[in-house]
Amino acid sequence: MTETNTAAAAQTLLETITGVSAAPTWSAPGRVNLIGEHTDYNDGFVLPFAIQHRTHAAVATRSDGMIRVASTFDQKPVAFALTQLDELFPHRRDEVVEWARYPLGVAWALLRAAGVDASTVTGVDLAFSSHVPVGAGLSSSAAIEGATASALADTWGITLDRVALAQAGRTAENEAVGAPTGIMDQMATMLGHTDAAIFLDCRTLEAAVVDLGFADAGLELLVMDTGVKHSHATGGYGERRASCERGASIMNVAALRDLTVDDLPRAEALMDDVTFRRVRHVVTENQRVLDTVRVLREQGPKSIGGLLIASHASMRDDFEISVPELDTAVDAALTAGAIGARMTGGGFGGAAIALVARADVETISSAVATAFAKAGFAPPATFTVSPSVGASKDA
C-alpha cells in the first residue's frame, strides 16, 4: 500500500463510521534508530531518523463530547467521553483495548499538558491507517502517537511546540499504555528531516540535525524485519530498565548518562556481573553515538560501519536483547558485504538494519533470506528506508 492509498484508507474508514467524506488527514512517520539503543531512558544520546513509512489519521469533529477511534487493523470503533479519560488513565487503562490506548492516551496527555478542560473541546472521530510495519522495531506506536497529537492539537487549537507534542506521546506510552520507554521515538517522529538524522540529548531534549549523506555516497539503509514480534509493555524491556536504574544508584549518579567509559572499572568492582554488563552497554553505546556523529561530519557515512557492528555486539552480549533471527540477519548482511549492521529498536525481536551500497541491496537481501531458510526461520521482510519529514497535516 502506498502512502497516498494509506491516507485514502483512513478517510474511507472514517466515512464508513461517520458518513463524513474527504476528511482532512494528518500523518507521522515511523523511525529507524541508526545508533543509540536503550540510552534514551538513561538520559543519554540517540541518533534516529524518521522514515517514509507513515501512519495517517483522518479526523471529523462531533458535538457530543466523545472521542471515538478506529483503525484499519481493528475497525470496531472504541469510544469514550473525553471527560472519562482522566478516570481511565493510568489506573484503569486495562479497560481499554490495547491499540486504542495509544490515541486515547495521547488525547488525555495532550489536554493535561495544555491545561485544557476536556469538557471545553469538541468531540472527535479518528480513523487510522498505517504503512509502518507493526512489531518490526520501527516504532509504529510513535507514528500513531505523532499523528494523533498533530491532528488533535490542530483540531482543538492547542499551540504546544513539537517537543511538547512528543512529550505527550511519551506520557501516553508510559502511563496510558504502560510501556516504560524513553522519548527517542516520539522526538524522531515529530522532528524528522529529509536526508538527515536527529542527534538528540535525551536529558535536555536538545536536538541537532545531522546530515547523513547516504544518497550522495551511493548508500541505502536496508531494514531486515525478522517477523519476531515484541512488546515493550511486558517482560525484558522493563527488566533492563530496572537494571540500569540499579546501576546508576550503585554509582550514585542521577542516570547512566553521567558515567563515562573511564568509570567502568569502578562499576565492575561494585556490581554483580549482569548489572555491570547492562551498565557497560549503555555507557559504551552513548560513546558510540557521539563517535558516530563525529565520524559522519568528518568522514562521511561509509566510515561508520565499525560503530554499527560494535553496537550490535554490545546489545547481543552485554544487554542481551538480541534473538537468533536478529543475529542471523546481521551476520548474513555483513558476510555479503554490508558496511555495517546492527539490530535496531527495543530488542527481543523486530528488525535489524544494514548500511549497504545501493548496488548491493538485492544481493544482501537474498543472502539474508538464504541464511534464514538455512536456519529454519520464517522468511524475513527486507526493504530500504530513507530519512523523511516528521509529523504534519497531509496536503
Side-chain angles (χ1 to χ4, degrees):
M1 184 181 291
T2 67
E3 289 304 323
T4 299
N5 289 341
T6 307
Q11 291 175 317
T12 298
L13 176 58
L14 187 73
E15 184 173 6
T16 299
I17 63 176
T18 67
V20 175
S21 61
T25 63
W26 285 256
S27 65
R31 65 96 190 93
V32 159
N33 190 23
L34 186 61
I35 196 164
E37 225 65 74
H38 288 263
T39 50
D40 58 345
Y41 56 79
N42 288 292
D43 282 0
F45 304 104
V46 292
L47 191 65
F49 62 85
I51 61 177
Q52 74 272 27
H53 302 277
R54 302 176 77 85
T55 292
H56 296 260
V59 182
T61 59
R62 49 191 298 149
S63 60
D64 59 1
M66 300 287 290
I67 180 169
R68 184 169 57 160
V69 297
S71 167
T72 53
F73 288 106
D74 183 355
Q75 296 190 17
K76 182 179 180 181
V78 178
F80 291 95
L82 284 164
T83 54
Q84 279 184 275
L85 298 181
D86 272 334
E87 302 170 18
L88 291 172
F89 303 126
H91 302 298
R92 291 169 51 196
R93 61 184 177 227
D94 290 345
E95 297 177 23
V96 183
V97 63
E98 185 172 3
W99 85 264
R101 296 175 203 167
Y102 291 94
L104 295 176
V106 168
W108 166 71
L110 189 62
L111 291 169
R112 191 169 68 167
V116 173
D117 188 326
S119 66
T120 67
V121 296
T122 185
V124 286
D125 283 301
L126 298 100
F128 297 92
S129 183
S130 183
H131 196 222
V132 183
V134 176
L138 303 181
S139 204
S140 56
S141 58
I144 195 171
E145 291 158 5
T148 303
S150 299
L152 291 181
D154 286 352
T155 300
W156 289 338
I158 290 174
T159 56
L160 296 176
D161 64 21
R162 286 181 168 261
V163 172
L165 295 181
Q167 290 172 311
R170 178 182 59 178
T171 297
E173 189 132 359
N174 290 172
E175 299 186 36
V177 179
T181 57
I183 199 169
M184 172 185 69
D185 296 350
Q186 293 81 10
M187 290 289 282
T189 202
M190 293 305 304
L191 301 178
H193 278 255
T194 302
D195 299 326
I198 303 299
F199 173 42
L200 176 64
D201 181 333
C202 294
R203 171 169 283 172
T204 65
L205 299 187
E206 293 179 8
V209 177
V210 177
D211 290 334
L212 291 171
F214 290 168
D216 288 344
L219 301 179
E220 296 281 356
L221 203 288
L222 180 68
V223 174
M224 302 167 287
D225 181 3
T226 66
V228 179
K229 304 304 181 186
H230 63 177
S231 172
H232 288 169
T234 58
Y237 191 103
E239 293 170 5
R240 298 308 185 278
R241 183 163 186 162
S243 290
C244 292
E245 292 169 353
R246 183 164 57 252
S249 177
I250 290 171
M251 295 297 286
N252 197 31
V253 293
L256 295 183
R257 147 71 174 274
D258 298 308
L259 302 180
T260 69
V261 173
D262 291 340
D263 293 311
L264 290 176
R266 183 166 69 92
E268 186 173 20
L270 294 173
M271 298 173 189
D272 64 88
D273 177 65
V274 171
T275 302
F276 170 68
R277 286 188 290 110
R278 306 298 188 247
V279 168
R280 180 167 61 186
H281 164 71
V282 173
V283 172
T284 58
E285 187 79 345
N286 271 325
Q287 186 60 52
R288 281 187 287 271
V289 174
L290 298 175
D291 291 343
T292 300
V293 172
R294 175 181 53 79
V295 171
L296 281 168
R297 288 170 170 165
E298 295 177 358
Q299 302 173 42
K302 291 183 178 179
S303 299
I304 67 172
L307 291 161
L308 302 181
I309 294 167
S311 175
H312 183 77
S314 182
M315 290 185 286
R316 181 192 63 213
D317 300 335
D318 277 353
F319 224 60
E320 296 182 288
I321 55 173
S322 191
V323 295
E325 290 87 346
L326 287 168
D327 295 337
T328 297
V330 167
D331 292 344
L334 292 173
T335 300
I339 293 168
R342 63 186 286 273
M343 60 150 284
T344 188
F348 310 104
I353 55 173
L355 187 61
V356 306
R358 186 172 298 119
D360 293 338
V361 169
E362 294 302 322
T363 299
I364 292 173
S365 296
S366 178
V368 172
T370 298
F372 268 54
K374 185 176 180 180
F377 300 146
T382 55
F383 51 92
T384 59
V385 293
S386 55
S388 185
V389 296
S392 62
K393 185 175 183 179
D394 297 326

